Amino acid sequence: MIVGQKFFQHLQLLVIVLFLSWRATFEHSTGTEVGIKCLEKEREALLKFKDELIDEHGRLSSWGSEKYKKDCCKWRGVTCDNQTNHIVELDLCDMALRGNVSISLLEIQHLEYLDLSYNHFEYSKIPQFIGSLGRLQHLYLDGSNFSGEIPHHLGNLSELNSLGLSSFHGSLTSTSLDWLSRLNSLNYLYMRSVNLTMATDWLQTITKLTKLQRLELYSCNLSMVLTPSPFNASNSLSDFRLSGNEFSSSWIFPLVFNLSSSLSYLDLRSNKLQGEIPLSLRNMTSLTGLDLSNNQFTGEEPHLALPSSLSYLYLSDNMFTGTVTQCIGSLSKLEDVDISSNNFEDVITESLFFNLSHLGMLDLSYNQGISFNISSGWNPHFQLTDVFLSRCKVGPHFPIWLRTQKRLEYLDISNAEISDTFPDWFPKSSPKLWALNVSHNNFHGVLPDLSSNFSRFEFTDLSFNHFNGSLPILPPNGSVVDLSSNEFSGSITNLCNETSCYWHFLDLSNNLLSGQLPDCFANLPNLQYLNLAHNNFSGKIPSLNTVSYTRGQENPNSN
Ligand SMILES: *[C@@H]1O[C@H](CO)[C@@H](O)[C@H](O)[C@H]1NC(C)=O
Ligand SMILES: *[C@@H]1O[C@H](CO)[C@@H](O)[C@H](O)[C@H]1NC(C)=O
Ligand SMILES: *[C@@H]1O[C@H](CO)[C@@H](O)[C@H](O)[C@H]1NC(C)=O
Ligand SMILES: *[C@@H]1O[C@H](CO)[C@@H](O)[C@H](O)[C@H]1NC(C)=O
Ligand SMILES: *[C@@H]1O[C@H](CO)[C@@H](O)[C@H](O)[C@H]1NC(C)=O
Ligand SMILES: *[C@@H]1O[C@H](CO)[C@@H](O)[C@H](O)[C@H]1NC(C)=O
Ligand SMILES: *[C@@H]1O[C@H](CO)[C@@H](O)[C@H](O)[C@H]1NC(C)=O
Ligand SMILES: *[C@@H]1O[C@H](CO)[C@@H](O)[C@H](O)[C@H]1NC(C)=O
Ligand SMILES: *[C@@H]1O[C@H](CO)[C@@H](O)[C@H](O)[C@H]1NC(C)=O
Ligand SMILES: *[C@@H]1O[C@H](CO)[C@@H](O)[C@H](O)[C@H]1NC(C)=O
Ligand SMILES: *[C@@H]1O[C@H](CO)[C@@H](O)[C@H](O)[C@H]1NC(C)=O
Ligand SMILES: *[C@@H]1O[C@H](CO)[C@@H](O)[C@H](O)[C@H]1NC(C)=O
């Protein structure tokens, strides 16, 4: 009995001791109040950090010292570790914040993820103290209007896995990238539009970053530098984006081949590349994406250099010649292909597409010698989302095979020598369409109702055709509507409907429209361009509050 009682007393004591110690640890880790995880010191630090920001849109309204806001782990953009309760993530991307980055951030020593990108820090320098947040693994300061020299202190962030310093307005500079070479864990580096004119050690540095997988150095004014020697090619780089620099073919290609044999994406758009694509590129059999647009490449047989692994191929704005079929016809993995603005020729038949069953985006526009000869019964085995065939000879008939393309979003068959009526099944057959350009053809007859069932039809250009009859019922939600230079007639007094408020650009000039102008233009909040010139309107010109560009006064029939 006594033993039993003693045991019971002991048990009670144990329970009390356990309870007290549980309470103690609980209070220690929560800053005194039950249920609140946030640490007092870190909350204070965030409040100081907020004090130095200008938060015009109240994006940080959940941050405050009021009692009911005490738990900073619940504040917008804040994530705490669920065991230690320390703040580990601060994600303030794109919150329209202005002002200064407070040094109080240093109190949040457990921060692993900091994203301040797409805010506006008013051309201040990137604070050096960010380099002391030693546990950071992800740091994004992209597009935030920092300026000046990137502080070398960021090289102290030895745990860093991703670093985003893209500047968009070209205001950040780095005269040497040596500081980067200490970031041994770096996998992702984004430095778009950072002025690296003086950083002649950039290549030396990136060859030291042996874990780097993705590198973006767009528009950094990089040019050829001495190849570092000895040169370590055991790089893990798979995604290499260098568009908008000053590279020449003879230097960059050998470098790329040496740098990584396992590249999956190579972007050399808008450089100074000339001549033919080097044949060794074909040996890069892991390459799935290649962008060589906007250079001065020539050559009749680019296919000889293109590896069959490619899914994304962009060769636009060069001087390639030869046939489309030879260039892309055997690349059976292609999904997106843009070979616009070259000198390709071809009569395109169904056979071009024999191997291309994954095709989603096709841009053949602005080549002078491409025409289509496709039989009317063709039922392609792909579903395209974007088709650009401007200046290809697609006509004389509307391409009937488009009827099978249920996922079509963007269609441009402008300037395509089509002399036809507009089929009444189109664009109903493509319910996802949001942009349609059939301008500069010879379409005639009455347009079908374009209004049905489109959720987001934003862009309609039917100009320079011979459409007639009264104005069509326009697609809803359109912001750009160009019906100019046709033969539309009749009145426009019913022009504005519930959905007209999206209009941003409206051009009805050079038609046969007549009668009074509706009063509704003044009530269209987004309308910026309105052209009614060269019609037969009469009566009063209504007030046009918001329109910033108007034409119509020269109409001889208006008064
Ligand atoms: C940011 O710092 C500058 C210079 O120290 C100061 O003039 C300005 O008032 C600060 N802005 C805010 C929002 O604290
Ligand atoms: C902590 O959070 C992580 C991520 O949300 C989750 O995977 C993990 O299970 C959580 N741990 C505990 C102890 O709740
Ligand atoms: C950066 O500055 C430019 C020019 O002053 C401005 O247009 C842009 O909106 C700013 N960026 C952000 C994210 O506020
Ligand atoms: C951080 O880097 C700077 C400049 O690169 C250096 O002067 C400083 O000593 C470093 N600080 C720490 C704590 O390592
Ligand atoms: C980039 O830096 C170089 C050298 O400091 C300078 O000459 C050039 O004007 C800078 N470019 C821009 C766009 O500021
Ligand atoms: C690019 O670098 C050259 C020198 O290599 C310099 O003269 C030029 O100003 C730089 N351009 C820009 C836009 O920074
Ligand atoms: C190249 O990298 C390998 C593996 O990381 C290393 O063993 C070798 O010493 C490096 N060579 C040079 C010249 O840096
Ligand atoms: C590429 O590697 C070869 C052989 O290792 C070497 O001769 C050449 O100089 C290197 N080229 C570049 C640009 O690194
Ligand atoms: C491609 O690789 C093969 C096998 O390694 C080699 O024989 C051939 O010379 C290479 N071709 C080019 C153009 O580099
Ligand atoms: C389709 O692929 C086969 C096998 O690779 C090839 O022989 C044929 O020429 C290709 N078709 C076209 C149009 O390129
Ligand atoms: C189009 O192809 C058909 C047969 O496929 C052929 O008879 C006709 O001549 C071709 N037309 C043109 C203009 O090439
Ligand atoms: C606006 O709606 C009326 C009546 O529903 C219709 O007759 C007219 O064609 C529509 N106008 C446009 C531009 O869609």
Side-chain angles (χ1 to χ4, degrees):
M1 220 28 202
I2 287 170
V3 174
Q5 225 171 16
K6 257 212 154 125
F7 172 76
F8 190 64
Q9 277 174 353
H10 269 119
L11 192 67
Q12 254 185 337
L13 199 65
L14 191 68
V15 168
I16 289 166
V17 168
L18 272 179
F19 177 70
L20 284 177
S21 67
W22 173 77
R23 235 180 105 89
T25 39
F26 200 76
E27 284 176 355
H28 170 73
S29 65
T30 59
T32 73
E33 262 160 74
V34 175
I36 291 187
K37 290 167 65 188
C38 166
L39 303 175
E40 185 71 35
K41 188 173 153 220
E42 297 190 350
R43 178 177 54 234
E44 293 303 319
L46 281 189
L47 287 174
K48 274 195 213 139
F49 174 74
K50 185 187 173 182
D51 272 350
E52 295 193 35
L53 293 171
I54 302 166
D55 177 20
E56 269 157 357
H57 302 274
R59 302 279 157 79
L60 301 182
S61 58
S62 57
W63 297 31
S65 47
E66 296 92 331
K67 197 153 190 216
Y68 70 100
K69 291 182 179 168
K70 272 227 147 137
D71 192 354
C72 70
C73 297
K74 297 200 173 113
W75 292 357
R76 183 165 180 189
V78 178
T79 307
C80 296
D81 184 282
N82 51 12
Q83 312 222 296
T84 67
N85 292 337
H86 282 291
I87 297 173
V88 288
E89 277 190 36
L90 200 50
D91 180 357
L92 304 180
C93 175
D94 198 11
M95 293 203 181
L97 303 170
R98 294 191 294 119
N100 302 324
V101 180
S102 163
I103 195 165
S104 67
L105 264 191
L106 280 189
E107 304 282 321
I108 309 178
Q109 273 293 346
H110 291 255
L111 211 53
E112 292 168 10
Y113 184 105
L114 176 61
D115 189 346
L116 300 177
S117 51
Y118 306 102
N119 291 295
H120 190 3
F121 292 105
E122 299 170 340
Y123 312 105
S124 59
K125 296 203 158 158
I126 294 176
Q128 295 178 354
F129 64 76
I130 290 183
S132 304
L133 290 166
R135 300 197 194 195
L136 276 186
Q137 292 169 20
H138 305 272
L139 174 62
Y140 302 106
L141 304 174
D142 309 81
S144 279
N145 287 338
F146 285 111
S147 73
E149 183 76 13
I150 297 169
H152 295 181
H153 305 71
L154 298 188
N156 294 342
L157 296 172
S158 56
E159 310 270 303
L160 218 52
N161 169 287
S162 328
L163 177 59
L165 293 169
S166 294
S167 94
F168 302 106
H169 291 87
S171 47
L172 282 175
T173 60
S174 193
T175 48
S176 157
L177 288 186
D178 191 43
W179 56 275
L180 263 176
S181 56
R182 287 183 278 148
L183 301 180
N184 296 320
S185 310
L186 207 59
N187 292 141
Y188 304 97
L189 177 61
Y190 308 94
M191 291 180 88
R192 184 189 287 236
S193 290
V194 174
N195 188 346
L196 297 180
T197 303
M198 308 298 283
T200 49
D201 58 355
W202 67 271
L203 179 57
Q204 192 127 29
T205 304
I206 61 164
T207 56
K208 286 182 193 152
L209 299 174
T210 52
K211 299 221 174 104
L212 206 57
Q213 289 171 27
R214 178 164 175 158
L215 176 63
E216 283 190 18
L217 298 172
Y218 291 148
S219 305
C220 296
N221 201 22
L222 296 173
S223 52
M224 195 181 96
V225 291
L226 282 179
T227 308
S229 144
F231 182 94
N232 206 338
S234 67
N235 211 295
S236 55
L237 202 57
S238 71
D239 193 332
F240 199 26
R241 305 198 183 211
L242 295 173
S243 67
N245 286 295
E246 303 283 317
F247 297 126
S248 64
S249 291
S250 57
W251 185 78
I252 192 71
F253 282 109
L255 172 81
V256 165
F257 301 143
N258 281 4
L259 202 57
S260 175
S261 53
S262 57
L263 270 193
S264 72
Y265 202 101
L266 177 62
D267 177 359
L268 295 172
R269 173 187 283 259
S270 304
N271 274 283
K272 302 239 157 81
L273 308 179
Q274 290 181 319
E276 302 194 0
I277 309 175
L279 297 179
S280 342
L281 193 74
R282 196 180 171 94
N283 272 358
M284 302 197 91
T285 50
S286 49
L287 206 61
T288 57
L290 177 66
D291 190 344
L292 300 177
S293 315
N294 195 21
N295 282 289
Q296 283 124 43
F297 281 110
T298 52
E300 235 180 280
E301 299 189 308
H303 69 285
L304 293 178
L306 299 175
S308 58
S309 48
L310 286 173
S311 296
Y312 308 96
L313 176 63
Y314 309 102
L315 299 178
S316 67
D317 293 286
N318 280 289
M319 295 175 287
F320 289 113
T321 52
T323 71
V324 177
T325 309
Q326 201 169 39
C327 180
I328 63 172
S330 60
L331 297 172
S332 62
K333 297 194 171 146
L334 275 186
E335 291 173 33
D336 285 8
V337 56
D338 180 357
I339 58 170
S340 63
S341 302
N342 278 287
N343 297 318
F344 285 111
E345 301 174 318
D346 217 348
V347 177
I348 288 178
T349 62
E350 292 98 303
S351 70
L352 165 67
F353 302 101
F354 185 76
N355 294 322
L356 306 181
S357 53
H358 302 291
L359 212 55
M361 191 274 266
L362 178 66
D363 191 343
L364 305 178
S365 43
Y366 303 103
N367 282 285
Q368 296 308 325
I370 297 181
S371 61
F372 278 71
N373 183 5
I374 282 182
S375 68
S376 58
W378 185 45
N379 189 359
H381 48 293
F382 49 65
Q383 289 288 336
L384 300 175
T385 55
D386 303 272
V387 178
F388 304 91
L389 301 175
S390 187
R391 290 194 197 236
C392 297
K393 186 181 178 301
V394 176
H397 297 297
F398 188 91
I400 289 177
W401 60 270
L402 286 177
R403 192 170 191 162
T404 62
Q405 300 299 297
K406 308 288 180 216
R407 294 195 205 134
L408 205 57
E409 295 178 20
Y410 200 122
L411 177 66
D412 181 352
I413 43 170
S414 60
N415 237 311
E417 299 183 37
I418 301 174
S419 298
D420 203 350
T421 55
F422 200 85
D424 57 7
W425 48 263
F426 192 84
K428 290 189 187 73
S429 53
S430 300
K432 295 187 172 166
L433 203 69
W434 67 269
L436 175 66
N437 185 352
V438 301
S439 65
H440 297 273
N441 281 295
N442 195 10
F443 279 107
H444 48 268
V446 177
L447 259 175
D449 178 352
L450 298 179
S451 70
S452 60
N453 290 334
F454 299 106
S455 48
R456 48 175 206 129
F457 212 115
E458 286 166 24
F459 177 93
T460 316
D461 187 352
L462 309 177
S463 63
F464 293 93
N465 279 291
H466 298 281
F467 288 117
N468 59 30
S470 54
L471 277 191
I473 301 184
L474 294 171
N477 307 350
S479 57
V480 174
V481 178
D482 190 348
L483 304 181
S484 63
S485 300
N486 277 289
E487 289 156 26
F488 290 116
S489 59
S491 144
I492 63 166
T493 42
N494 283 334
L495 187 68
C496 302
N497 279 343
E498 315 80 67
T499 57
S500 318
C501 60
Y502 296 98
W503 286 343
H504 171 90
F505 177 107
L506 180 64
D507 193 342
L508 302 177
S509 64
N510 292 296
N511 278 291
L512 306 168
L513 300 164
S514 58
Q516 308 250 340
L517 297 181
D519 279 332
C520 61
F521 295 122
N523 306 326
L524 299 178
N526 294 314
L527 196 61
Q528 286 181 14
Y529 179 103
L530 175 65
N531 191 349
L532 303 173
H534 300 289
N535 281 290
N536 295 317
F537 295 122
S538 57
K540 271 205 327 219
I541 294 177
S543 71
L544 299 165
N545 293 343
T546 55
V547 183
S548 52
Y549 180 90
T550 319
R551 294 191 55 152
Q553 277 82 352
E554 68 267 48
N555 185 342
N557 294 314
S558 67
N559 59 36

